[in-house]
Amino acid sequence: MKGQTSALSKSTAVKFRIPTAENLVPIRLDIEVDGQRFKDAFTWNPSDPDSEIVVFAKRTVKDMKLPPVFVTHIASSIQSQLADFRSFEGQDMYAGEKIVPIKLDLRVNHTLVKDQFLWDLNNFENDPEEFARTFCRDLAIDDPEVGPAIAFAIREQLYEIAIQSVASARESRISKKGRRGAEHAIVSKAGGTAMDLVKLFGHKSSVVRKRKEWDVYEPIVDLLSNEEVDALEAREERNGR
Amino acid sequence: MELPQLDPTSKQNPPDEPELDLYTIPSHSSWFSWDEIHATEEVSLKDFFDGSSITRTPKIYKEYRDFIINKYREEPSRRLTFTEVRKSLVGDVCLLHKVFFSWKWGLINFAAPSTGGETLVVGDEERYKVKIEGVPTGIRVVAMPNSIKPISALPSVGDSGGAVDNGFKLPTLASYSDVFADLMTRKGLVCGNCNEICDSGHYKCMKGDLLICVKCFKNGNYGESKSVDDYKFNDCLQNSSNVGAVWTEAETLLLLESVLKHGDDWELVAQNVQTKSKIDCIAKLIEMPLGDYFEFCPEKNKIGDQHDEQRNESEHNGDAENRGPPLKRQRIASAPGDGGSLMKQVALISTVVSPHITAAAAEAAVASLCEENSCPREIFDGEDDYVTNGLLSPTENCETKRVLEDPEMKERHSQSGDEDSCFKKDDIPLTLRVRAAVATALGAAAARAKFLADQEDREIEHLLAIIIGTQMKKLHCKIKHFEDLEMIMKKKHAEMEEVEDFLISERICVLQRAMSAGIPRWRDHSYVKS
């Protein structure tokens, strides 16, 4: 445990931002109006002026040939998600190393992707888009929508974990327990997501995984036929409602 | 060194020693050793060596590295992908990504084929590096615009992972003019030091290939590790169009005439053109757009093999109008480094056609180019005038065109200085030349194709006529045959009637005789019918 506390004590507080090379906020849209459903997921640069949101919404509606009532819905959805992001912005989050497992389980058109890997949440040079690019290239994925979907999924998970860490940082400040107690609390809270660094990277262990675990961390990419896609879509809709 | 000291011929290892596999690795990664971490690695992957975190230690780096290299060596001919290794290694995938792709030293994937599909890879610094599979013909790759030092595409072997350093780095949003600026600007010798054009002479280094201008030489900027003695003064190289002797109209005229007269005898030519030396004459002639003209001298074969067929053809036809495409070809062939294969094709196409067509096509190409741009008009028309003076009878097309332009040209020439026209003539921009040549060749090929097509049409018609004639004959024969048959039938019919008549008369005779003899009537009278 000593090692871990020392690692944490090295951490400095950093202003909240998306912990990637580019500070882009993942935005998810799921709007239903008069039986017509519009789902989308993309990244937004929070430093863009807000006037851009309406422009973007209008263009989306025009391109996707949606009824004009969607414009306001889209714009308001984006704005509320951005507002959420900005509410965290002023606060501190812990920097310092935090290895978290990221799981991918998504379907893009006909491609199904399942994967699991480790990601350092606090390394601000990490780039999900680059990872997605390498992923698609190595696995020879033809569909150009898969890459951005993977990057988005990673970003979303990082965003959630980052929010959690901000929340826990806030709690630790509020908590009246002593310093050590606070750190333990953080450990226990963060322990759910972060990996035990000492166990993984310490002197006694090897960074090469055991072979039986290779399958767990191996990416699985499946191409589905049209019927399977329809079946999955139907199931998703049922689950969604 | 990493390679085990195996004698490849001897197969008799002592039984207790393990079999060592021999791996070849590129020589630029020969510093690598299993047992230690080299300084190169430490420098480029600082994260692991600055003790900033327990997840990044030299030990961990070594484990990653050894694992990846071993994985690659299991199957050196296949390209190891990042995704294959990251599943087996614990750690931040982005860090692993960095480690994997930072190995430009050829530790892995040096023997693997590069993937053809990769055309755009974002490097670490997010600059766009374009991978070029060799250089397209007709393009010369230079290290930077305005420099004439061409670089060749780096070999694809020796790259690791996906970050490709083949070809050359373009700045983001590079445009055509950035890359090919030097092709569009005037070609002149550029000083290796200050990157300016060397106007008057320049200094050539004896040891290397470095050229510096007079200014740099005076200032003492000789370039690294070279001294005053290394440089030799070079005035007016043959390649430089701006530098060198100035040729007046009269001189050029004399030159052309003497070349016509004396062919390849440069001594005589130089004598005629008194003010210029032999070398100058040759240089001038090569540079002049009608450089191919003197191929017609039957004695010698001056230009390269690609013009041989052309020459033969022209000899046969004895016509002086090949100056169209060969002009441009000659000029281009003498320029260094331009796509030889493209030009060869152009040349080959042109040689297939007869010179009349070629000339007409050339004129058409020139005309269309002129319409686009008034500058080429001056350039092309400038040479027209010179050519008129020295040549034999041209084809009608060319003649009419030139006659029209001659009066203009004469005026223009009297106005513009000699230097100007010389300069313009010698300095036909490369791109225009290329386009003119290509247009000409295509025009010539099209003309030929049309000619062939016409021929085919005629053949077809001819054959059709023959067929129709034959059918007619056949019908005639049949008709005749039937007529003959009819004749025969008529005759037979006539004969039959005669025989019938005869039979009837015979019967009557017999009956008469029977009656006169008083024989009683037979019972079978009813059978006797007429």
Side-chain angles (χ1 to χ4, degrees):
Chain A
M1 282 301 120
K2 259 203 187 147
Q4 189 145 25
T5 47
S6 67
L8 279 179
S9 62
K10 272 191 218 155
S11 65
T12 49
V14 155
K15 289 296 166 200
F16 181 82
R17 51 161 282 176
I18 301 283
T20 55
E22 289 168 39
N23 189 20
L24 299 171
V25 182
I27 306 263
R28 202 179 266 283
L29 296 178
D30 190 358
I31 304 172
E32 184 157 359
V33 172
D34 297 333
Q36 206 172 359
R37 197 156 184 208
F38 175 62
K39 283 180 85 161
D40 199 5
F42 51 86
T43 49
W44 187 267
N45 187 347
S47 54
D48 273 347
D50 281 351
S51 51
E52 285 293 313
I53 299 181
V54 179
V55 173
F56 175 80
K58 286 196 180 134
R59 206 172 342 116
T60 309
V61 163
K62 191 173 116 180
D63 289 344
M64 305 295 286
K65 300 191 178 50
L66 302 166
V69 63
F70 272 85
V71 175
T72 40
H73 282 89
I74 291 175
S76 60
S77 176
I78 298 177
Q79 255 156 4
S80 63
Q81 295 183 54
L82 274 181
D84 281 340
F85 171 75
R86 294 217 173 93
S87 70
F88 287 110
E89 240 180 339
Q91 302 175 19
D92 296 334
M93 61 188 260
Y94 274 114
E97 200 150 353
K98 191 161 169 199
I99 308 271
V100 298
I102 302 270
K103 287 199 177 64
L104 293 178
D105 186 3
L106 45 112
R107 180 186 68 78
V108 178
N109 299 337
H110 288 261
T111 314
L112 195 69
V113 173
K114 276 194 172 59
D115 197 5
Q116 185 181 0
F117 46 85
L118 299 172
W119 190 280
D120 181 359
L121 184 67
N122 283 323
N123 184 352
F124 289 170
E125 288 174 27
N126 289 350
D127 192 2
E129 274 79 25
E130 191 176 23
F131 178 82
R133 254 195 298 273
T134 314
F135 188 93
C136 292
R137 198 178 62 228
D138 288 347
L139 296 170
I141 294 179
D142 289 323
D143 192 348
E145 292 184 28
V146 175
I150 292 176
F152 181 84
I154 297 173
R155 226 176 246 282
E156 223 181 3
Q157 294 184 43
L158 293 177
Y159 183 41
E160 282 171 25
I161 301 174
I163 291 178
Q164 279 178 20
S165 82
V166 168
S168 67
R170 212 179 336 158
E171 281 186 27
S172 74
R173 266 184 283 125
I174 297 171
S175 82
K176 295 291 182 215
K177 293 181 192 166
R179 209 174 183 204
R180 224 195 303 148
E183 279 176 316
H184 274 301
I186 292 158
V187 164
S188 62
K189 270 211 159 42
T193 42
M195 312 285 281
D196 190 343
L197 299 178
V198 174
K199 199 162 57 158
L200 288 174
F201 294 99
H203 287 286
K204 295 205 189 109
S205 65
S206 156
V207 279
V208 182
R209 252 185 216 125
K210 302 195 185 72
R211 253 179 213 265
K212 59 186 181 190
E213 288 187 10
W214 284 11
D215 294 331
V216 178
Y217 287 89
E218 186 170 10
I220 300 174
V221 174
D222 271 332
L223 283 173
L224 306 170
S225 67
N226 284 336
E227 299 84 32
E228 290 169 337
V229 169
D230 292 334
L232 277 173
E233 274 183 359
R235 209 184 309 154
E236 278 165 26
E237 284 210 10
R238 265 183 278 126
N239 288 346
R241 313 243 173 136
Chain B
M1 256 298 269
E2 201 271 328
L3 293 176
Q5 312 298 326
L6 246 200
D7 180 2
T9 56
S10 73
K11 269 280 184 174
Q12 319 99 322
N13 286 326
D16 35 331
E17 259 187 46
E19 276 248 358
L20 295 169
D21 288 317
L22 203 58
Y23 289 103
T24 41
I25 59 176
S27 56
H28 51 260
S29 53
S30 55
W31 47 264
F32 174 75
S33 111
W34 285 110
D35 304 324
E36 56 183 42
I37 297 173
H38 197 262
T40 332
E41 302 173 78
E42 277 188 40
V43 163
S44 60
L45 292 164
K46 291 195 205 74
D47 285 340
F48 287 94
F49 301 100
D50 54 9
S52 56
S53 111
I54 59 165
T55 60
R56 296 195 269 254
T57 63
K59 168 182 168 277
I60 289 173
Y61 167 72
K62 189 166 181 309
E63 283 194 56
Y64 286 158
R65 179 193 78 180
D66 295 347
F67 179 83
I68 294 176
I69 294 181
N70 276 325
K71 194 99 177 110
Y72 173 66
R73 296 224 176 141
E74 284 170 19
E75 187 56 60
S77 58
R78 65 107 171 81
R79 190 171 192 83
L80 185 65
T81 59
F82 171 67
T83 310
E84 281 176 57
V85 293
R86 64 124 158 126
K87 71 182 184 209
S88 326
L89 294 172
V90 173
D92 177 26
V93 286
C94 289
L95 189 65
L96 283 172
H97 193 280
K98 202 160 128 188
V99 169
F100 190 86
F101 287 110
S102 69
W103 286 341
K104 300 181 185 64
W105 321 301
L107 293 179
I108 61 166
N109 283 338
F110 45 81
S114 53
T115 58
E118 275 172 32
T119 47
L120 206 65
V121 174
V122 175
D124 294 328
E125 310 93 30
E126 290 188 287
R127 295 185 64 200
Y128 285 93
K129 298 178 193 169
V130 175
K131 171 173 164 181
I132 295 183
E133 311 279 352
V135 177
T137 54
I139 306 287
R140 205 160 49 116
V141 174
V142 295
M144 63 176 95
N146 290 328
S147 134
I148 56 166
K149 278 190 297 178
I151 60 172
S152 52
L154 298 172
S156 56
V157 190
D159 274 344
S160 70
V164 174
D165 248 341
N166 288 355
F168 55 96
K169 284 186 197 170
L170 291 174
T172 53
L173 301 179
S175 74
Y176 178 80
S177 53
D178 287 342
V179 179
F180 299 118
D182 72 313
L183 288 179
M184 302 198 303
T185 56
R186 298 184 331 187
K187 259 201 320 206
L189 286 173
V190 177
C191 168
N193 254 340
C194 58
N195 267 341
E196 285 178 6
I197 300 189
C198 306
D199 296 318
S200 51
H202 57 270
Y203 286 87
K204 184 169 163 64
C205 175
M206 303 307 293
K207 286 194 197 152
D209 224 353
L210 196 60
L211 301 169
I212 58 170
C213 62
V214 180
K215 255 195 297 181
C216 287
F217 188 73
K218 287 203 190 114
N219 293 345
N221 300 346
Y222 300 130
E224 352 45 61
S225 65
K226 292 186 178 56
S227 64
V228 191
D229 310 312
D230 289 339
Y231 282 94
K232 187 176 82 154
F233 187 64
N234 244 337
D235 206 355
C236 51
L237 259 193
Q238 274 149 3
N239 284 342
S240 67
S241 39
N242 308 336
V243 185
V246 170
W247 282 74
T248 64
E249 260 191 62
E251 288 174 341
T252 324
L253 195 53
L254 270 177
L255 170 67
L256 286 171
E257 283 178 348
S258 39
V259 166
L260 247 186
K261 237 192 306 176
H262 306 293
D264 288 330
D265 198 347
W266 298 109
E267 302 292 338
L268 291 173
V269 170
Q271 271 177 25
N272 266 352
V273 188
Q274 289 104 359
T275 49
K276 294 282 181 292
S277 73
K278 187 168 79 162
I279 295 178
D280 281 334
C281 292
I282 300 177
K284 177 68 184 169
L285 208 57
I286 291 177
E287 285 180 348
M288 275 175 65
L290 47 85
D292 211 353
Y293 154 72
F294 60 84
E295 272 190 0
F296 303 139
C297 311
E299 299 97 53
K300 267 206 197 138
N301 176 13
K302 265 276 171 158
I303 318 298
D305 5 323
Q306 69 203 48
H307 299 297
D308 260 352
E309 302 149 45
Q310 173 76 37
R311 191 171 65 88
N312 289 337
E313 217 175 51
S314 64
E315 278 180 3
H316 289 319
N317 295 330
D319 199 306
E321 269 324 294
N322 286 330
R323 57 180 196 77
L327 293 186
K328 313 294 179 283
R329 257 187 295 141
Q330 174 61 20
R331 193 74 171 100
I332 293 160
S334 66
D338 287 329
S341 59
L342 175 63
M343 285 307 126
K344 275 200 184 113
Q345 288 175 21
V346 165
L348 279 172
I349 294 176
S350 312
T351 55
V352 171
V353 236
S354 73
H356 292 261
I357 304 178
T358 317
E363 286 296 317
V366 167
S368 62
L369 260 183
C370 289
E371 273 156 43
E372 287 180 30
N373 217 343
S374 60
C375 170
R377 176 177 281 279
E378 287 183 307
I379 296 172
F380 288 137
D381 295 347
E383 90 214 14
D384 262 35
D385 198 34
Y386 285 105
V387 172
T388 335
N389 295 336
L391 285 188
L392 317 168
S393 63
T395 58
E396 292 133 3
N397 298 0
C398 308
E399 196 169 29
T400 46
K401 192 162 160 112
R402 207 175 298 109
V403 160
L404 284 175
E405 280 158 350
D406 251 348
E408 302 178 37
M409 278 336 316
K410 294 229 158 76
E411 291 175 16
R412 226 188 284 185
H413 270 287
S414 58
Q415 287 166 14
S416 62
D418 289 338
E419 227 174 332
D420 265 341
S421 47
C422 274
F423 169 75
K424 277 184 204 145
K425 209 156 43 112
D426 298 340
D427 190 42
I428 299 176
L430 184 62
T431 48
L432 282 178
R433 279 188 255 128
V434 171
R435 287 171 71 195
V438 172
T440 309
L442 289 175
R448 174 93 174 146
K450 178 143 196 334
F451 169 66
L452 284 174
D454 285 341
Q455 247 187 355
E456 287 300 309
D457 276 337
R458 282 198 294 272
E459 276 262 337
I460 290 173
E461 282 176 21
H462 180 62
L463 287 172
L464 259 179
I466 291 177
I467 289 173
I468 291 173
T470 323
Q471 293 279 45
M472 292 274 287
K473 276 193 206 145
K474 204 163 87 173
L475 283 174
H476 277 307
C477 282
K478 279 196 182 156
I479 290 174
K480 196 145 170 289
H481 184 63
F482 283 125
E483 280 177 356
D484 287 344
L485 276 177
E486 216 180 319
M487 288 280 285
I488 292 171
M489 288 299 283
K490 278 193 185 141
K491 277 191 199 149
K492 280 258 149 76
H493 190 67
E495 273 177 28
M496 291 295 279
E497 284 193 345
E498 271 180 32
V499 169
E500 215 182 327
D501 286 341
F502 176 67
L503 278 176
I504 289 177
S505 60
E506 273 222 8
R507 258 198 140 177
I508 292 174
C509 266
V510 167
L511 273 176
Q512 273 182 345
R513 271 203 226 129
M515 281 195 147
S516 62
I519 295 172
R521 283 169 66 177
W522 292 329
R523 281 204 199 227
D524 50 355
H525 248 207
S526 50
Y527 288 106
V528 179
K529 274 198 182 158
S530 58

